[in-house]
Amino acid sequence: MNTVTLLLGSNLGNKKNNITLAINLIDSKIGSILKKTKLIESEPEDYYSSNSYLNIGIIVNTDLSPIKLLKSIKEIERSLGRINDSYFSGKYEDRTIDIDIIYFNSITYYSTSLNIPHITHISKRNFSKKILYELV
């Protein structure tokens, strides 16, 4: 089994419900949830929006590989109404759900579609640092 740290965020619609639905889908499609942080509110970073975010961190046990995990996450995001992916569009915008892979065991993995660990969350985003601190 692989131990994965994920960060989830939502700033459109019923944010708390979006996160709850995403966690339920993660639990049923990806693997068992080992730990969750409290929800925290944050302002958008790297772009302007009047919509604040709700964020949460979770640790999951999964038998998926990094790429299969990413594929499953993208399917969950689409099923919850996420249309544009900032990784491909090159710009940040409001979203019903965003799920990022922060750590995957203790591996370092870099490809055209996925970078682990997620350096931006680890080193640059204040809300991420708070969540990751709570997880450990």
Side-chain angles (χ1 to χ4, degrees):
M1 286 301 254
N2 300 302
T3 303
V4 179
T5 302
L6 304 176
L7 289 185
L8 291 77
S10 175
N11 78 332
L12 287 178
N14 185 334
K15 297 178 261 191
K16 188 174 182 178
N17 189 57
N18 294 340
I19 289 174
T20 299
L21 290 171
I23 289 172
N24 290 340
L25 288 168
I26 289 166
D27 190 53
S28 67
K29 296 179 181 291
I30 291 175
S32 59
I33 310 293
L34 301 177
K35 189 173 183 180
K36 290 191 295 189
T37 65
K38 294 177 276 186
L39 285 167
I40 68 165
E41 190 169 356
S42 69
E43 294 304 313
E45 293 191 25
D46 300 324
Y47 79 105
Y48 172 78
S49 174
S50 59
N51 299 318
S52 64
Y53 276 87
L54 275 183
N55 302 282
I56 194 168
I58 61 174
I59 297 177
V60 181
N61 257 356
T62 184
D63 60 358
L64 298 177
S65 69
I67 293 299
K68 287 184 179 179
L69 173 62
L70 180 63
K71 183 179 179 198
S72 294
I73 285 171
K74 295 304 175 189
E75 288 171 4
I76 290 170
E77 287 178 340
R78 281 190 298 277
S79 75
L80 294 176
R82 179 139 185 210
I83 298 166
N84 295 318
D85 189 322
S86 56
Y87 188 85
F88 297 108
S89 69
K91 64 179 183 165
Y92 293 109
E93 55 190 42
D94 294 342
R95 59 206 78 175
T96 54
I97 194 71
D98 182 37
I99 307 169
D100 289 327
I101 303 167
I102 309 305
Y103 297 110
F104 190 103
N105 296 326
S106 57
I107 70 166
T108 300
Y109 180 91
Y110 296 107
S111 74
T112 56
S113 60
L114 179 62
N115 293 324
I116 301 172
H118 195 303
I119 299 300
T120 303
H121 279 296
I122 295 168
S123 64
K124 294 182 181 174
R125 296 193 176 136
N126 290 327
F127 74 90
S128 302
K129 292 177 190 178
K130 289 178 189 174
I131 290 171
L132 293 171
Y133 182 78
E134 185 181 335
L135 279 175
V136 295

